[in-house]
Protein backbone atom coordinates (compact mmCIF):
# COMPACT_ATOMS: atom_id res chain seq x y z
CA UNK A 1 0.00 0.00 0.00
CA UNK A 2 2.90 2.40 0.69
CA UNK A 3 4.19 1.89 -2.83
CA UNK A 4 0.78 2.75 -4.27
CA UNK A 5 0.19 5.80 -2.07
CA UNK A 6 3.83 7.02 -2.23
CA UNK A 7 5.04 6.20 -5.77
CA UNK A 8 8.35 8.04 -5.27
CA UNK A 9 9.32 5.84 -2.32
CA UNK A 10 11.80 3.01 -2.80
CA UNK A 11 10.08 -0.05 -4.31
CA UNK A 12 9.54 -3.11 -2.16
CA UNK A 13 9.59 -6.74 -3.27
CA UNK A 14 6.16 -7.99 -2.22
CA UNK A 15 7.20 -11.63 -2.32
CA UNK A 16 10.18 -11.02 -0.05
CA UNK A 17 8.04 -9.04 2.40
CA UNK A 18 5.48 -11.85 2.51
CA UNK A 19 8.15 -14.48 3.12
CA UNK A 20 9.79 -12.42 5.84
CA UNK A 21 6.47 -11.83 7.61
CA UNK A 22 5.53 -15.49 7.23
CA UNK A 23 8.81 -16.62 8.76
CA UNK A 24 8.17 -14.43 11.82
CA UNK A 25 4.63 -15.77 12.18
CA UNK A 26 5.83 -19.36 11.91
CA UNK A 27 8.44 -18.67 14.59
CA UNK A 28 5.76 -17.31 16.93
CA UNK A 29 3.38 -20.19 16.19
CA UNK A 30 6.13 -22.73 16.96
CA UNK A 31 6.28 -21.61 20.60
CA UNK A 32 5.05 -24.19 23.17
CA UNK A 33 1.94 -22.13 23.94
CA UNK A 34 0.83 -22.00 20.32
CA UNK A 35 2.26 -25.10 18.64
CA UNK A 36 -1.17 -26.79 18.54
CA UNK A 37 -2.63 -24.02 16.38
CA UNK A 38 -2.87 -24.05 12.61
CA UNK A 39 -1.31 -21.10 10.80
CA UNK A 40 -1.89 -19.59 7.39
CA UNK A 41 -0.69 -16.22 6.15
CA UNK A 42 -1.29 -13.98 3.19
CA UNK A 43 0.10 -10.70 1.85
CA UNK A 44 -2.26 -8.40 -0.04
CA UNK A 45 -1.98 -5.19 -2.02
CA UNK A 46 -4.53 -2.43 -1.54
CA UNK A 47 -6.10 -0.22 1.10
CA UNK A 48 -5.32 -1.96 4.41
CA UNK A 49 -8.70 -1.77 6.17
CA UNK A 50 -10.54 -2.94 3.05
CA UNK A 51 -8.17 -5.87 2.53
CA UNK A 52 -8.43 -6.89 6.19
CA UNK A 53 -12.22 -7.01 5.95
CA UNK A 54 -12.14 -8.85 2.60
CA UNK A 55 -9.69 -11.37 4.06
CA UNK A 56 -11.94 -11.93 7.07
CA UNK A 57 -14.79 -12.73 4.70
CA UNK A 58 -12.69 -14.99 2.49
CA UNK A 59 -11.42 -16.95 5.50
CA UNK A 60 -14.85 -16.96 7.23
CA UNK A 61 -13.24 -15.38 10.28
CA UNK A 62 -15.12 -15.20 13.57
CA UNK A 63 -12.88 -12.48 14.99
CA UNK A 64 -10.41 -9.85 13.77
CA UNK A 65 -7.53 -9.00 16.10
CA UNK A 66 -5.62 -5.78 15.53
CA UNK A 67 -2.84 -4.11 17.49
CA UNK A 68 -3.70 -1.24 19.77
CA UNK A 69 -1.76 2.01 20.21
CA UNK A 70 -0.09 3.14 23.39
CA UNK A 71 -1.51 6.12 25.22
CA UNK A 72 1.35 8.26 23.98
CA UNK A 73 0.40 7.56 20.38
CA UNK A 74 -3.34 7.07 20.90
CA UNK A 75 -4.29 9.27 17.96
CA UNK A 76 -2.28 6.97 15.71
CA UNK A 77 -4.79 4.12 15.96
CA UNK A 78 -5.66 6.02 12.83
CA UNK A 79 -7.66 5.19 9.80
CA UNK A 80 -6.90 1.48 9.49
CA UNK A 81 -7.70 0.37 13.03
CA UNK A 82 -10.65 2.68 13.48
CA UNK A 83 -12.16 1.84 10.10
CA UNK A 84 -11.85 -1.87 10.80
CA UNK A 85 -13.64 -1.35 14.13
CA UNK A 86 -16.32 0.73 12.43
CA UNK A 87 -16.95 -1.48 9.39
CA UNK A 88 -15.98 -5.08 10.15
CA UNK A 89 -18.92 -7.52 10.01
CA UNK A 90 -17.41 -9.59 12.86
CA UNK A 91 -16.20 -8.60 16.34
CA UNK A 92 -12.86 -6.79 16.48
CA UNK A 93 -10.43 -7.22 19.37
CA UNK A 94 -8.03 -4.31 19.86
CA UNK A 95 -5.11 -5.98 21.63
CA UNK A 96 -3.39 -3.89 24.30
CA UNK A 97 -1.76 -6.63 26.38
CA UNK A 98 -1.66 -10.41 26.64
CA UNK A 99 -4.63 -12.19 28.21
CA UNK A 100 -4.00 -14.97 30.70
CA UNK A 101 -6.20 -18.02 31.22
CA UNK A 102 -7.28 -16.85 34.68
CA UNK A 103 -10.85 -15.67 35.45
CA UNK A 104 -11.59 -12.39 33.75
CA UNK A 105 -13.07 -9.12 34.94
CA UNK A 106 -15.12 -7.90 31.99
CA UNK A 107 -16.42 -4.34 31.73
CA UNK A 108 -19.52 -3.92 29.55
CA UNK A 109 -20.49 -0.28 28.89
CA UNK A 110 -24.15 -0.08 27.84
CA UNK A 111 -26.51 2.66 26.70
CA UNK A 112 -29.71 0.54 26.76
CA UNK A 113 -29.97 0.72 22.96
CA UNK A 114 -30.71 -2.41 20.86
CA UNK A 115 -27.08 -2.36 19.72
CA UNK A 116 -25.89 -2.91 23.30
CA UNK A 117 -27.49 -6.34 23.56
CA UNK A 118 -25.03 -8.25 21.34
CA UNK A 119 -21.88 -7.16 23.20
CA UNK A 120 -23.60 -7.87 26.52
CA UNK A 121 -24.48 -11.39 25.37
CA UNK A 122 -20.92 -11.99 24.17
CA UNK A 123 -19.58 -10.76 27.53
CA UNK A 124 -21.90 -13.16 29.37
CA UNK A 125 -20.62 -16.03 27.21
CA UNK A 126 -17.01 -15.04 27.92
CA UNK A 127 -17.76 -14.69 31.62
CA UNK A 128 -19.26 -18.17 31.70
CA UNK A 129 -16.31 -19.62 29.77
CA UNK A 130 -13.60 -18.06 31.94
CA UNK A 131 -15.45 -18.05 35.24
CA UNK A 132 -15.16 -14.29 35.34
CA UNK A 133 -17.12 -11.36 36.72
CA UNK A 134 -19.04 -8.87 34.57
CA UNK A 135 -19.33 -5.17 35.36
CA UNK A 136 -22.20 -3.48 33.52
CA UNK A 137 -21.67 0.28 33.34
CA UNK A 138 -23.97 3.05 32.16
CA UNK A 139 -22.67 6.62 32.01
CA UNK A 140 -25.02 9.58 32.27
CA UNK A 141 -23.58 12.33 30.10
CA UNK A 142 -24.18 15.72 31.81
CA UNK A 143 -23.79 17.62 28.52
CA UNK A 144 -26.97 19.75 28.28
CA UNK A 145 -29.59 18.80 25.70
CA UNK A 146 -31.91 21.40 24.21
CA UNK A 147 -35.42 21.24 22.76
CA UNK A 148 -36.88 23.62 20.17
CA UNK A 149 -40.54 24.47 19.83
CA UNK A 150 -42.08 23.35 16.53
CA UNK A 151 -44.56 26.19 16.71
CA UNK A 152 -42.05 29.00 16.99
CA UNK A 153 -38.62 28.32 15.53
CA UNK A 154 -37.45 31.78 16.58
CA UNK A 155 -37.86 31.09 20.31
CA UNK A 156 -34.71 30.12 22.20
CA UNK A 157 -33.93 26.51 22.91
CA UNK A 158 -35.07 25.16 26.24
CA UNK A 159 -32.68 22.96 28.25
CA UNK A 160 -33.92 19.43 28.95
CA UNK A 161 -33.42 18.43 32.59
CA UNK A 162 -30.60 15.87 32.87
CA UNK A 163 -31.43 12.29 33.78
CA UNK A 164 -30.72 11.06 37.28
CA UNK A 165 -29.76 7.49 38.28
CA UNK A 166 -33.27 6.89 39.63
CA UNK A 167 -34.72 7.80 36.22
CA UNK A 168 -33.10 4.80 34.53
CA UNK A 169 -33.98 2.06 37.00
CA UNK A 170 -36.61 0.78 34.59
CA UNK A 171 -34.05 0.73 31.76
CA UNK A 172 -31.67 -1.32 33.89
CA UNK A 173 -34.35 -3.85 34.77
CA UNK A 174 -35.58 -4.17 31.18
CA UNK A 175 -32.08 -4.57 29.75
CA UNK A 176 -30.82 -7.10 32.29
CA UNK A 177 -34.01 -9.17 32.01
CA UNK A 178 -33.16 -9.93 28.36
CA UNK A 179 -29.81 -11.54 29.28
CA UNK A 180 -29.31 -15.17 30.31
CA UNK A 181 -26.99 -14.39 33.20
CA UNK A 182 -27.32 -17.81 34.81
CA UNK A 183 -24.55 -18.36 37.35
CA UNK A 184 -22.27 -15.64 35.97
CA UNK A 185 -21.19 -13.19 38.67
CA UNK A 186 -22.09 -9.63 37.77
CA UNK A 187 -22.76 -6.18 39.11
CA UNK A 188 -24.02 -2.92 37.68
CA UNK A 189 -23.04 0.70 38.11
CA UNK A 190 -24.29 4.10 36.95
CA UNK A 191 -21.77 6.93 36.67
CA UNK A 192 -22.04 10.54 35.55
CA UNK A 193 -19.56 12.21 33.22
CA UNK A 194 -18.08 12.00 29.76
CA UNK A 195 -18.66 8.37 28.65
CA UNK A 196 -15.21 7.52 27.24
CA UNK A 197 -13.41 9.09 30.21
CA UNK A 198 -15.60 7.34 32.77
CA UNK A 199 -15.21 3.98 31.05
CA UNK A 200 -11.41 4.23 31.15
CA UNK A 201 -11.48 5.41 34.79
CA UNK A 202 -13.70 2.46 35.71
CA UNK A 203 -11.29 0.03 34.03
CA UNK A 204 -8.40 1.38 36.04
CA UNK A 205 -10.20 1.51 39.38
CA UNK A 206 -11.68 -2.01 39.03
CA UNK A 207 -8.67 -3.59 37.28
CA UNK A 208 -10.79 -4.89 34.40
CA UNK A 209 -9.09 -7.35 32.04
CA UNK A 210 -11.18 -6.51 28.98
CA UNK A 211 -13.84 -4.10 27.75
CA UNK A 212 -16.68 -5.54 25.66
CA UNK A 213 -18.77 -2.87 23.95
CA UNK A 214 -20.79 -2.08 20.85
CA UNK A 215 -19.81 0.31 18.11
CA UNK A 216 -22.40 1.90 15.84
CA UNK A 217 -20.70 1.63 12.44
CA UNK A 218 -21.73 5.09 11.25
CA UNK A 219 -19.53 6.97 8.81
CA UNK A 220 -19.32 10.40 7.26
CA UNK A 221 -21.12 13.38 8.77
CA UNK A 222 -23.13 11.33 11.27
CA UNK A 223 -19.95 9.76 12.63
CA UNK A 224 -18.22 13.14 12.79
CA UNK A 225 -21.09 14.68 14.73
CA UNK A 226 -21.76 11.81 17.10
CA UNK A 227 -18.22 10.54 17.43
CA UNK A 228 -17.51 7.01 18.53
CA UNK A 229 -17.11 6.20 22.19
CA UNK A 230 -15.71 2.78 21.23
CA UNK A 231 -12.92 4.35 19.19
CA UNK A 232 -12.05 6.79 21.99
CA UNK A 233 -11.98 3.95 24.49
CA UNK A 234 -9.82 1.81 22.19
CA UNK A 235 -7.27 4.62 22.04
CA UNK A 236 -7.17 5.34 25.77
CA UNK A 237 -7.94 2.07 27.58
CA UNK A 238 -5.06 0.15 29.20
CA UNK A 239 -6.68 -3.23 28.47
CA UNK A 240 -7.94 -5.02 25.33
CA UNK A 241 -11.20 -3.79 23.82
CA UNK A 242 -13.61 -6.16 22.07
CA UNK A 243 -15.85 -4.15 19.71
CA UNK A 244 -19.03 -5.93 18.62
CA UNK A 245 -21.04 -4.84 15.63
CA UNK A 246 -24.80 -4.22 15.59
CA UNK A 247 -26.63 -7.30 14.31
CA UNK A 248 -28.04 -5.53 11.25
CA UNK A 249 -24.73 -4.03 10.11
CA UNK A 250 -23.59 -4.69 6.53
CA UNK A 251 -20.24 -3.48 5.21
CA UNK A 252 -20.14 -2.13 1.67
CA UNK A 253 -16.84 -1.95 -0.20
CA UNK A 254 -16.03 1.74 -0.99
Amino acid sequence: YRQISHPLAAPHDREKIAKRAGAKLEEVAASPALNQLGLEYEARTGKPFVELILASRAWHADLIIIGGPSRQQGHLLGSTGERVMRKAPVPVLVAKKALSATPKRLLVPIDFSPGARNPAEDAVALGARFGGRIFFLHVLDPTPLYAYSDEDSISPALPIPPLMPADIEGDWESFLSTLSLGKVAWERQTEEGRPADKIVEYVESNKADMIVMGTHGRTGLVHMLLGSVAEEVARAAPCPVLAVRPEAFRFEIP
Side-chain angles (χ1 to χ4, degrees):
Y1 179 65
R2 288 196 191 101
Q3 195 170 341
I4 296 173
S5 58
H6 300 82
L8 299 181
H12 298 280
D13 188 317
R14 181 169 175 251
E15 185 175 347
K16 287 182 179 179
I17 292 174
K19 287 182 178 179
R20 188 160 57 243
K24 291 181 180 179
L25 287 171
E26 289 171 357
E27 182 180 344
V28 171
S31 66
L34 302 175
N35 59 14
Q36 299 299 317
L37 300 178
L39 170 67
E40 296 181 35
Y41 63 89
E42 179 181 5
R44 290 179 173 232
T45 300
K47 188 169 289 189
F49 88 93
V50 173
E51 296 303 324
L52 286 170
I53 292 173
L54 289 176
S56 74
R57 285 179 170 179
W59 290 17
H60 303 289
D62 299 303
L63 175 70
I64 297 175
I65 303 176
I66 57 178
S70 67
R71 292 190 175 188
Q72 290 74 24
Q73 57 179 188
H75 63 288
L76 295 179
L77 179 62
S79 59
T80 297
E82 291 180 354
R83 286 177 180 174
V84 170
M85 284 182 61
R86 205 179 305 150
K87 296 178 177 292
V90 296
V92 177
L93 177 64
V94 181
K96 293 296 193 77
K97 63 179 181 181
L99 287 172
S100 67
T102 58
K104 298 294 179 290
R105 297 169 68 84
L106 305 174
L107 174 61
V108 186
I110 59 172
D111 59 3
F112 305 123
S113 69
R117 180 183 171 87
N118 282 359
E121 290 177 339
D122 288 347
V124 170
L126 289 170
R129 173 66 178 82
F130 290 104
R133 187 175 193 85
I134 299 176
F135 299 85
F136 294 105
L137 174 66
H138 178 74
V139 180
L140 293 171
D141 191 342
T143 304
L145 297 177
Y146 294 88
Y148 292 85
S149 170
D150 292 334
E151 298 178 359
D152 184 5
S153 59
I154 301 177
S155 62
L158 300 176
I160 300 175
L163 289 173
M164 303 299 290
D167 297 329
I168 61 172
E169 280 300 312
D171 295 311
W172 270 119
E173 293 177 6
S174 297
F175 185 83
L176 293 173
S177 68
T178 65
L179 302 176
S180 300
L181 293 168
K183 296 182 179 180
V184 176
W186 62 274
E187 58 186 83
R188 68 176 211 188
Q189 180 69 29
T190 301
E191 298 280 352
E192 183 176 321
R194 189 171 179 274
D197 294 340
K198 283 296 179 181
I199 291 169
V200 173
E201 288 176 13
Y202 199 87
V203 167
E204 294 172 337
S205 62
N206 289 275
K207 295 181 172 57
D209 297 296
M210 180 188 290
I211 301 169
V212 184
M213 63 187 304
T215 179
H216 52 52
R218 299 185 180 98
T219 57
L221 181 61
V222 175
H223 180 269
M224 181 181 69
L225 293 176
L226 297 180
S228 171
V229 174
E231 290 167 22
E232 287 190 62
V233 170
R235 288 192 291 266
C239 66
V241 178
L242 179 62
V244 181
R245 308 296 319 127
E247 187 174 10
F249 179 79
R250 294 292 181 271
F251 172 64
E252 296 182 4
I253 302 300

